[in-house]
Amino acid sequence: MRASLLSFDADPGDDDKPREGSVVHHADGALWWQNGKIIAVDDYSRLAPRLPDNISIIDQRDKLVMPGFIDSHVHYVQLDIMASYGRQLLDWLNEYTFPEECRFADYEHASLMADIFLDELMRVGTTTAQVFCSSHPTSVDAFFGAAQRRDLCMLAGKVLMDRHAPDALTDDTLGGIRDSERLIGDWHRNGRLGYSVTPRFAPTSTRTQLDAAGGLLRNDSSLWLQTHLSENLGELDWVAELFPDSHDYLDVYERSGLVGPRSTFAHGIHLNDGMRSRLAERGANIAFCPSSNLFLGSGLFDRQSARALDLNLTLASDIGAGTDLSGLATLKAAYQVGQLRGQPLTAWAGFHALTRGNAVSLSLDDRIGRLAPGMDADFVVIDRHASSLLSRRMNRADTLTEELFTLMMLGDDRAIYETWAGGRLQHRRQH
Ligand code: GUN
Ligand code: ZN
């Protein structure tokens, strides 16, 4: 493919100017892939003479190609309850979320929703996500099956809950762990799929279940872990009440061996520096979910304090509390939250987070997140002139920095012209 190519080889930092050597940009570039893997990336003039004679070149010279976007925390089972009005976390879970998740006991429904969800992800250029299913194993089989048919790199897991939820969603404590073991056996490292052990959050698991989830991780260090941490003040009080022996919320997870380099903790809004340092020491990551935090009124994430302590961060939509699946919309919300904290997000930091940054923090950077030889051929083709307004503003942009910032503030799903994953065209905009 011939296009303008943008990728990151390192973290650009948070200054206006990206760190030396972090940005790789080929204004007139060539991306060569075969059998789902990238073979070479270079200026078109340098790579063209090396290409085999029989290769077909897709000319996208007016487009910008980046690695496929990554969403580190999203609930596919909540797609249909997005925009459910006016509650904060705990009421929102009870009134909207739990009743909706009950529907995923039905394999047909789960399969249909998995396909609808993946169609939507492709439409917004997200080629990898770490996904919460429901507590029903059927919801996980349906999701992984749908992802595998499309040859996508996806992480997912069965929600573990053995208390404080409707009966239809509640595990028998160890039965939930046995279900997880079966799913791990069937899906973990099966092609491009990976299993993420998924205790929902501390209030809905007993200590016994959290310990058993930690046991799964001890048995296999290649597993991922996803849960929620310190999102909402009412939640914090409840955790303190339920786990009186723990000195803070993070300690609840630490005691069960759930905090490691492949662990993602969604939100982490109400943390102190001691907790941030403990997370950083273990190499765990916090998923910053800006549109969700705004929607549920959970708080304004302090990105700078986390970065100052070298805490790994990821960026996520957190649908259904999030209000948009799109990575571009998530960047816009992250910028806005940052502005309210006096911590504006540069376009460099933003697009790095959506691609290589999320891949590194999720330990997926050996496969995805960059346009580089040996990486999986997952990428997004962006139309910087997708709407007349975007195009007018883009024509005023004199630098790549300005173009990227315009894209992150004014771009939406129309800017995603094509999405490729596993070397296959997964989506092309219809209009
Ligand atoms: N905490 C526990 N479960 C959830 C969930 O489904 N969404 C969000 N945003 N927070 C949670
Ligand atoms: Zn969530």
Side-chain angles (χ1 to χ4, degrees):
M1 181 176 289
R2 183 173 184 180
S4 174
L5 306 177
L6 177 68
S7 177
F8 294 87
D9 271 355
D11 189 327
D14 290 318
D15 294 340
D16 290 353
K17 248 176 87 75
R19 282 190 197 126
E20 195 70 27
S22 58
V23 178
V24 185
H25 180 229
H26 300 279
D28 181 9
L31 174 67
W32 177 17
W33 72 93
Q34 222 163 38
N35 302 326
K37 294 269 180 205
I38 296 175
I39 300 197
V41 182
D42 209 337
D43 285 342
Y44 181 78
S45 60
R46 263 205 296 267
L47 189 53
R50 290 175 45 205
L51 295 172
D53 289 340
N54 59 354
I55 206 164
S56 61
I57 297 174
I58 308 167
D59 192 341
Q60 307 268 35
R61 256 178 283 182
D62 56 339
K63 305 288 195 301
L64 173 67
V65 171
M66 282 191 222
F69 300 153
I70 301 169
D71 187 342
S72 68
H73 178 81
V74 56
H75 303 248
Y76 97 85
V77 292
Q78 296 176 8
L79 198 66
D80 283 350
I81 55 144
M82 286 171 73
S84 294
Y85 175 76
R87 297 286 182 272
Q88 292 217 350
L89 176 65
L90 300 176
D91 292 330
W92 177 84
L93 285 174
N94 284 319
E95 283 184 41
Y96 305 117
T97 313
F98 289 159
E100 177 64 15
E101 293 191 6
C102 290
R103 304 179 69 191
F104 287 76
D106 174 21
Y107 182 78
E108 296 301 317
H109 177 70
S111 282
L112 178 70
M113 290 308 300
D115 271 320
I116 292 170
F117 174 78
L118 291 175
D119 286 347
E120 287 295 317
L121 279 193
M122 296 304 107
R123 220 170 51 74
V124 296
T126 299
T127 48
T128 290
Q130 182 168 224
V131 178
F132 269 58
C133 303
S134 70
S135 41
H136 314 98
T138 44
S139 73
V140 186
D141 288 320
F143 179 76
F144 276 134
Q148 191 162 61
R149 282 192 291 282
R150 299 173 194 231
D151 200 16
L152 301 174
C153 173
M154 290 283 160
L155 307 178
K158 177 205 123 52
V159 163
L160 291 164
M161 289 200 277
D162 66 349
R163 62 173 172 171
H164 301 140
D167 287 348
L169 295 179
T170 306
D171 294 317
D172 163 66
T173 300
L174 295 178
I177 300 296
R178 278 195 297 276
D179 288 340
S180 303
E181 283 170 334
R182 196 276 290 167
L183 291 163
I184 291 165
D186 284 353
W187 297 109
H188 184 54
R189 301 210 275 188
N190 178 345
R192 305 188 71 203
L193 308 174
Y195 195 86
S196 200
V197 176
T198 309
R200 179 173 216 112
F201 69 154
T204 46
S205 287
T206 57
R207 173 59 71 195
T208 310
Q209 191 175 51
L210 293 176
D211 284 347
L216 294 175
L217 301 179
R218 262 196 312 284
N219 281 341
D220 183 346
S221 61
S222 70
L223 289 167
W224 283 265
L225 177 287
Q226 56 179 348
T227 188
H228 299 88
L229 170 72
S230 293
E231 176 179 5
N232 169 283
L233 295 174
E235 171 202 15
L236 262 63
D237 290 344
W238 197 19
V239 170
E241 208 177 286
L242 291 170
F243 296 91
D245 296 344
S246 278
H247 53 86
D248 60 34
Y249 194 159
L250 180 60
D251 182 60
V252 175
Y253 294 139
E254 287 172 330
R255 285 178 190 227
S256 290
L258 299 177
V259 187
R262 287 174 176 243
S263 305
T264 297
F265 295 94
H267 308 295
I269 298 172
H270 310 285
L271 299 178
N272 57 39
D273 272 352
M275 294 160 96
R276 293 188 186 100
S277 299
R278 279 148 56 203
L279 285 161
E281 272 162 31
R282 300 284 176 104
N285 77 85
I286 293 283
F288 172 27
C289 309
S291 78
S292 163
N293 298 162
L294 293 169
F295 182 73
L296 291 180
S298 304
L300 302 174
F301 182 68
D302 184 354
R303 186 173 169 276
Q304 211 163 65
S305 293
R307 294 272 285 175
L309 292 168
D310 281 332
L311 171 50
N312 286 331
L313 295 181
T314 54
L315 198 60
S317 69
D318 190 30
I319 296 307
T323 48
D324 208 314
L325 258 186
S326 150
L328 297 177
T330 303
L331 285 183
K332 176 173 164 176
Y335 175 81
Q336 290 167 332
V337 168
Q339 280 288 56
L340 291 171
R341 277 222 162 246
Q343 309 173 1
L345 180 75
T346 69
W348 299 113
F351 282 101
H352 173 259
L354 264 193
T355 57
R356 178 185 172 274
N358 272 4
V360 169
S361 294
L362 291 173
S363 303
L364 289 170
D365 53 317
D366 56 334
R367 317 176 210 175
I368 58 167
R370 287 186 305 140
L371 302 177
M375 291 286 131
D376 295 350
D378 290 6
F379 52 88
V380 57
V381 179
I382 294 175
D383 178 1
R384 287 161 290 183
H385 299 275
S387 67
S388 56
L389 203 63
L390 178 64
S391 185
R392 288 186 67 78
R393 179 61 184 89
M394 205 54 88
N395 289 335
R396 285 274 191 98
D398 297 329
T399 60
L400 183 58
T401 316
E402 225 186 310
E403 276 190 27
L404 292 173
F405 187 65
T406 302
L407 197 57
M408 105 180 194
M409 297 312 291
L410 298 184
D412 56 30
D413 46 358
R414 290 171 293 180
I416 307 302
Y417 179 63
E418 286 176 348
T419 302
W420 294 72
R424 283 162 47 179
L425 179 64
Q426 304 271 355
H427 163 80
R428 176 176 292 144
R429 196 183 66 202
Q430 288 306 312
H431 47 90

